[in-house]
Amino acid sequence: MATQKNSKKDKVEKKEIKWLQTLRNTLKNDTTQFVIGLLCVMVALYMVLAFCSFVLNGGADQSALEPATAIEQFEGVADDAPDVVKNSTGKRGAHIAQKLINNSFGVSSFCIPVFLLVLGLNLMRIRSYKFDLKHWGICCATILVWGSLFLSVTIDRWFTGSGIYWGGYHGHNVTEWLIGQFGMPGIVILLLVTAIIFSIYLTRTTIEVIRKLFHPKSLLPGQDEVEQALAEVPAEEPVAAPADVDFTIDEQPAAELTWDPTDTPDEPQPATDEMELEIVAQPIEEEPQPAADKEEASEAEFTIELNEEEEAEKIVEPYNPRLDLSRYKFPTIDLLNKGNEELLMVDRDEQNANKDRIIQVLRDFGIEISSIKATVGPTITLYEITPAPGVRISKIKNLENDIALSLSALSTRIIAPIPGKGTIGIEIPNANPQIVSMHSVIASRKFQECTYELPIAIGKTITNEIFMFDLAKMPHLLVAGATGQGKSVGLNAIVTSLLYKKHPAELKFVIVDPKKVEFSVYAPIEKHFLAKLPDGEDAIITDTAKVVQTLKSLCVEMDARYDLLKAAGVRNLREYNEKFVNRKLNPEKGHKYLPYIVVIVDEFGDLIITAGNDVIIPITRIAQLARAVGIHMIIATQRPSANIIVGGIRANFPARIAFRVSSMIESRIILDRPGANQLIGKGDMLFLQGSDPVRVQCAFVDTPEVDSISRYISQQQGYPTAFYLPEYVDENAADGNNLDDVDLKRLDPMFEDAARLVVVHQSGSTSLIQRKFSIGYNRAGRIMDQLEKAGIVGPVDGSKPRQVLCADEMDLEFRLKALNEN
């Protein structure tokens, strides 16, 4: 019975939680918020009309609004009260105005519809009106209470009989109590002090105004005459008034004051804020100049301008790229399923049995050890042994298969020696491996507090620690593994880590999915995180022709970014964005905030088979150059063979992730060493960056979890479109175009400039024209066709630039002149 009651109670609680979640999601919906905001605006306007009509009509509606007393009902006076009110919003509006104005806070109740109006505009997300609701709420509440007291003291107390209580019952009752406690002077002082505190909360300039009111300069007569007399002292004499400070502009040392010996010591000069504004930059000179007055005036003007520029720099706030989607909320941790690995269970019997078998196998082959220690991980246990003196490491290394046979293990891996330690490691799979959930990785303090540019939490090491790396420092990643060994899950874990840490304004994905089903779950976040070509239908690229076009478009984007970095005088994307955020780059000159671009290419082997060099060339170029401009690549393949992962790819992808492969040869292609063939699968992987690989159990993120994250992001406000990459027109496709359709009598306005450009560079390239003139690829392609028809450049020669047929600019001018004459 108790069990049934508990189960019923659990069902009720689950229904309540589900209902609350449904309500929360409904309130977060953009349409729901817009409708609520619209209702708030309508109610606010209705209340303003009711209040205004109530104030104008005075006490005319009092008999209809206030309930009749017992005496009036007895005498029949209540029957003569009119039912029709003069308030323009009707009897209901008159009642609302009566309750809030006369019976509550008086005329200051106008703050209520004002706050409702602000709330409504915020919920409707009207860009022209951006209000801080917390700030407006405090201001409206303060004015509501303070205004009620102020109006009660100033108007209600001296002007009565109007039918309207300007301070309301609240103001009247509180005022009477305060007067009884502190008297009229006390309440006046209280109102004045609270008004000053409130104005200080609104603006800091209130403090400056108060200080100027009590400034000693305004209280001392003849102060201007004293300063004028000091200004008439000759320049040769070492005179410095308290407001003059000698310093060098370049170095700006600490200010050193020099006092006038004629000043009396018993009259100290006041150190005020105005002294700082009167500081004059006086360069140290060996000889005084004859025209001292003019130079001092020019120096004073320079100082004032310098101070104004410094103040302007202080006032301007840094640019915030997240303001475009200021309401964006990062995915919540409850979208991921909790695992059961929070408490790592250690099987002592299993560990002791494995220890005894390892010692016995080593002794059977004449190897003695001095110590052994076990470190238990989620799927692997590392046994660290210290061999006896004189034992060769290679002898232990050759016993991998014998140890695996003795332990009946799937596979063993020996690390001889462990880097940084004087021990040898033997990795043995656990009998009951545990799944590492993505929830435990994302919720970890290490991930939440990390400050990486592109943080990726991929799983846990064999010491049960969260393993993370910064993709921006890799800078590119090669992922390989046999089918079904966790490669796709690993890619989803990488994307999930970035989605939990980066704002849509800071990161974009270019996803290539030849299988068409692995990454389709990310299609809903197209307007938030995905990038594509302007003419692309789907942001998830599945067509091989579009893949080649997209990769070449990324090369154009890379070149354009390098031009921006060169113009800004910086070396990498981080420095460029930092400069732009601090408003040191002019957007009118083409500068803009540049997000990171992560390119994920799945089934790279299939692309090599279908496209060949058309894919390898742009990928190699991006891998060699794109690091500094924030474009990073992740390519994955299940066929790690030498003809797929060629030398150029291996050289430019220093970071590698290897899941289980079938042979040692494949392991050497991925990691340049064996080891991946000894993994146990199911997310067991080796991460290599540098000299020694690290064994990691990849975190498991299921497709429903990824789908929940995508839907959570897609339900929020996004950009109007996906992030558009530069247009690209394949020059090889133009080879078959009929140049007879090109009309040389209707040349592009930039034709001659483009002709001079290709002749000067002696390189005929559509991308060159596009970059130099900041035009689209379609227009640049048409200009290139016109140049070919005019005989200035030759036909397309594969992926190479076109041959320029004009030897120099003089030859070009002759051709242009002949073209114009025709």
Side-chain angles (χ1 to χ4, degrees):
M1 292 295 293
T3 307
Q4 292 179 354
K5 288 182 180 180
N6 291 333
S7 61
K8 288 182 180 179
K9 202 177 282 186
D10 292 340
K11 289 181 180 179
V12 172
E13 290 179 355
K14 287 182 179 178
K15 287 183 179 179
E16 291 178 355
I17 293 173
K18 189 175 181 181
W19 181 81
L20 290 174
Q21 289 179 346
T22 304
L23 178 62
R24 190 184 299 112
N25 293 333
T26 303
L27 293 177
K28 288 182 180 179
N29 185 271
D30 183 65
T31 304
T32 305
Q33 291 185 356
F34 185 87
V35 172
I36 295 174
L38 184 63
L39 292 176
C40 289
V41 172
M42 295 298 103
V43 171
L45 295 177
Y46 180 79
M47 292 177 67
V48 169
L49 292 175
F51 288 0
C52 292
S53 182
F54 184 83
V55 172
L56 293 175
N57 289 322
D61 295 336
Q62 296 298 311
S63 57
L65 298 176
E66 294 183 353
T69 61
I71 297 176
E72 290 175 342
Q73 291 178 355
F74 178 77
E75 294 178 354
V77 178
D79 298 334
D80 299 333
D83 293 332
V84 180
V85 297
K86 293 185 178 181
N87 195 299
S88 58
T89 56
K91 196 168 185 179
R92 184 59 56 197
H95 272 291
I96 293 174
Q98 168 77 4
K99 291 290 185 184
L100 292 177
I101 294 180
N102 272 5
N103 297 348
S104 296
F105 295 97
V107 178
S108 60
S109 297
F110 274 94
C111 294
I112 298 175
V114 168
F115 180 74
L116 284 176
L117 182 64
V118 170
L119 177 63
L121 293 176
N122 261 32
L123 291 174
M124 294 171 69
R125 298 182 184 175
I126 298 178
R127 292 289 179 186
S128 302
Y129 302 90
K130 279 208 168 186
F131 302 107
D132 184 356
L133 290 180
K134 180 180 178 181
H135 176 75
W136 274 84
I138 294 174
C139 291
C140 290
T142 304
I143 296 174
L144 186 70
V145 177
W146 187 90
S148 174
L149 299 178
F150 176 78
L151 293 173
S152 180
V153 171
T154 55
I155 298 181
D156 285 346
R157 195 165 183 82
W158 311 110
F159 300 97
T160 57
S162 63
I164 297 177
Y165 299 105
W166 294 86
Y169 285 170
H170 166 268
H172 175 75
N173 295 333
V174 176
T175 300
E176 291 297 326
W177 182 82
L178 289 174
I179 291 175
Q181 297 292 325
F182 306 104
M184 183 58 71
I187 194 173
V188 171
I189 294 174
L190 179 63
L191 289 173
L192 180 61
V193 170
T194 52
I196 293 173
I197 294 174
F198 180 63
S199 61
I200 291 174
Y201 169 75
L202 293 178
T203 173
R204 286 279 300 173
T205 55
T206 305
I207 298 176
E208 304 298 330
V209 172
I210 295 174
R211 285 174 176 170
K212 288 181 179 179
L213 289 176
F214 296 97
H215 196 282
K217 182 176 178 179
S218 61
L219 303 177
L220 295 176
Q223 184 73 15
D224 295 335
E225 289 78 359
V226 174
E227 292 185 357
Q228 185 175 0
L230 290 174
E232 294 175 356
V233 177
E236 290 81 356
E237 299 182 13
V239 177
D244 293 333
V245 179
D246 294 334
F247 63 97
T248 305
I249 295 177
D250 295 333
E251 299 179 357
Q252 292 187 352
E256 182 178 351
L257 300 181
T258 306
W259 296 92
D260 187 355
T262 59
D263 293 339
T264 56
D266 56 342
E267 294 181 1
Q269 299 294 327
T272 64
D273 292 337
E274 288 190 356
M275 288 173 57
E276 298 178 1
L277 300 177
E278 295 172 359
I279 291 176
V280 180
Q282 298 177 349
I284 300 175
E285 300 177 357
E286 296 180 359
E287 296 181 2
Q289 299 294 330
D293 296 337
K294 294 183 179 179
E295 290 181 2
E296 289 177 2
S298 62
E299 289 167 1
E301 292 175 359
F302 169 75
T303 305
I304 292 172
E305 293 176 358
L306 184 63
N307 290 339
E308 288 178 353
E309 291 177 0
E310 292 176 354
E311 291 297 326
E313 291 180 359
K314 293 179 182 178
I315 293 173
V316 176
E317 294 182 357
Y319 170 75
N320 185 2
R322 297 186 176 186
L323 286 180
D324 291 339
L325 298 180
S326 58
R327 294 178 178 269
Y328 177 79
K329 295 181 180 179
F330 289 88
T332 56
I333 195 66
D334 58 355
L335 298 174
L336 298 171
N337 297 330
K338 288 186 178 181
N340 59 352
E341 82 285 354
E342 279 75 10
L343 295 176
L344 186 63
M345 303 300 295
V346 178
D347 190 342
R348 293 288 183 183
D349 296 335
E350 179 187 350
Q351 308 308 321
N352 291 329
N354 288 340
K355 179 197 70 173
D356 295 338
R357 289 173 184 173
I358 291 173
I359 295 174
Q360 185 61 42
V361 170
L362 294 176
R363 283 179 178 173
D364 291 343
F365 288 92
I367 299 173
E368 295 292 333
I369 60 175
S370 58
S371 65
I372 184 169
K373 182 180 71 172
T375 303
V376 182
T379 57
I380 299 295
T381 298
L382 172 64
Y383 293 89
E384 294 184 44
I385 63 174
T386 304
V391 176
R392 297 176 62 88
I393 294 178
S394 59
K395 193 174 182 181
I396 301 177
K397 182 72 175 174
N398 294 330
L399 297 178
E400 283 181 341
N401 295 332
D402 298 285
I403 295 174
L405 178 63
S406 174
L407 298 175
S408 301
L410 182 63
S411 66
T412 59
R413 177 171 172 262
I414 294 181
I415 309 171
I418 296 178
K421 297 182 179 181
T423 58
I424 295 174
I426 302 176
E427 295 176 346
I428 298 176
N430 294 337
N432 298 310
Q434 293 182 332
I435 297 176
V436 176
S437 69
M438 198 67 196
H439 181 281
S440 64
V441 174
I442 297 296
S444 65
R445 177 178 295 181
K446 185 175 182 180
F447 179 79
Q448 295 295 331
E449 296 179 356
C450 78
T451 57
Y452 294 161
E453 290 294 316
L454 295 175
I456 294 177
I458 195 69
K460 291 185 178 181
T461 64
I462 57 177
T463 58
N464 214 40
E465 296 177 355
I466 303 297
F467 183 80
M468 290 184 59
F469 61 90
D470 188 358
L471 182 61
K473 295 180 180 180
M474 294 297 101
H476 310 291
L477 182 63
L478 172 63
V479 182
T483 303
Q485 302 303 317
K487 177 171 53 65
S488 297
V489 174
L491 293 177
N492 283 327
I494 291 173
V495 176
T496 301
S497 298
L498 295 173
L499 292 179
Y500 267 91
K501 266 293 185 181
K502 305 303 289 185
H503 189 272
E506 302 166 343
L507 175 66
K508 302 297 176 184
F509 289 101
V510 175
I511 300 179
V512 177
D513 182 17
K515 288 198 295 188
K516 303 181 181 181
V517 294
E518 289 292 343
F519 293 97
S520 59
V521 68
Y522 297 108
I525 63 174
E526 173 181 339
K527 295 183 179 180
H528 296 81
F529 282 100
L530 299 188
K532 67 176 183 178
L533 293 172
D535 59 345
E537 296 181 0
D538 299 324
I540 309 296
I541 306 164
T542 57
D543 185 15
T544 304
K546 285 289 184 182
V547 172
V548 176
Q549 194 174 355
T550 302
L551 292 174
K552 292 183 177 180
S553 176
L554 284 168
C555 292
V556 178
E557 174 73 13
M558 177 183 69
D559 294 334
R561 289 190 173 201
Y562 266 115
D563 291 338
L564 291 176
L565 264 63
K566 179 182 177 182
V570 296
R571 298 175 59 186
N572 54 56
L573 183 76
R574 184 174 185 177
E575 294 177 2
Y576 177 87
N577 282 339
E578 184 177 350
K579 229 176 179 181
F580 187 84
V581 166
N582 293 326
R583 303 187 184 273
K584 295 180 180 179
L585 299 175
N586 189 357
E588 295 181 356
K589 295 183 179 179
H591 292 290
K592 56 185 177 180
Y593 186 86
L594 300 177
Y596 284 94
I597 298 178
V598 175
V599 185
I600 300 177
V601 181
D602 195 16
E603 298 300 335
F604 180 66
D606 181 68
L607 292 179
I608 295 297
I609 294 173
T610 55
N613 287 336
D614 290 339
V615 170
I616 292 178
I617 291 174
I619 285 181
T620 304
R621 189 162 182 262
I622 292 171
Q624 288 174 341
L625 301 174
R627 172 181 183 175
V629 293
I631 301 177
H632 305 278
M633 293 202 71
I634 302 173
I635 63 174
T637 180
Q638 60 180 349
R639 299 177 56 191
S641 57
N643 62 334
I644 300 298
I645 305 176
V646 296
I649 299 295
R650 294 170 62 188
N652 293 291
F653 282 76
R656 322 272 179 83
I657 289 180
F659 292 90
R660 187 182 182 185
V661 294
S662 58
S663 67
M664 184 185 298
I665 297 175
E666 293 179 342
S667 177
R668 289 187 182 276
I669 292 174
I670 306 170
L671 302 174
D672 299 324
R673 70 198 69 198
N677 56 310
Q678 299 169 324
L679 300 175
I680 62 173
K682 296 183 179 180
D684 189 18
M685 69 180 218
L686 290 173
F687 177 85
L688 175 67
Q689 187 198 15
S691 57
D692 298 303
V694 180
R695 193 164 186 175
V696 179
Q697 177 61 39
C698 182
F700 179 74
V701 52
D702 204 359
T703 302
E705 298 175 77
V706 179
D707 183 60
S708 299
I709 296 171
S710 297
R711 284 190 288 105
Y712 181 87
I713 296 175
S714 64
Q715 290 173 358
Q716 304 184 53
Q717 181 184 6
Y719 294 100
T721 61
F723 181 83
Y724 283 150
L725 298 172
E727 292 183 73
Y728 179 79
V729 176
D730 191 356
E731 294 184 350
N732 293 326
D735 190 28
N737 290 346
N738 188 4
L739 293 179
D740 294 336
D741 297 336
V742 179
D743 187 3
L744 294 181
K745 294 182 179 180
R746 300 176 60 186
L747 296 174
D748 192 278
M750 290 186 177
F751 174 79
E752 294 187 4
D753 293 333
R756 293 186 179 90
L757 176 68
V758 297
V759 171
V760 169
H761 287 80
Q762 286 295 303
S763 174
S765 170
T766 306
S767 60
L768 175 65
I769 298 175
Q770 191 267 342
R771 290 199 312 271
K772 294 298 182 181
F773 297 110
S774 299
I775 59 177
Y777 249 92
N778 292 329
R779 185 179 179 185
R782 289 193 296 269
I783 294 175
M784 187 59 68
D785 290 339
Q786 294 172 359
L787 292 174
E788 182 183 354
K789 182 73 177 288
I792 297 173
V793 299
V796 174
D797 185 16
S799 60
K800 299 179 181 179
R802 296 172 185 248
Q803 181 183 2
V804 180
L805 303 179
C806 295
D808 52 25
E809 292 188 62
M810 186 176 294
D811 186 12
L812 174 65
E813 293 299 331
F814 281 119
R815 291 177 184 264
L816 293 177
K817 185 177 180 181
L819 188 63
N820 292 331
E821 290 176 356
N822 294 333

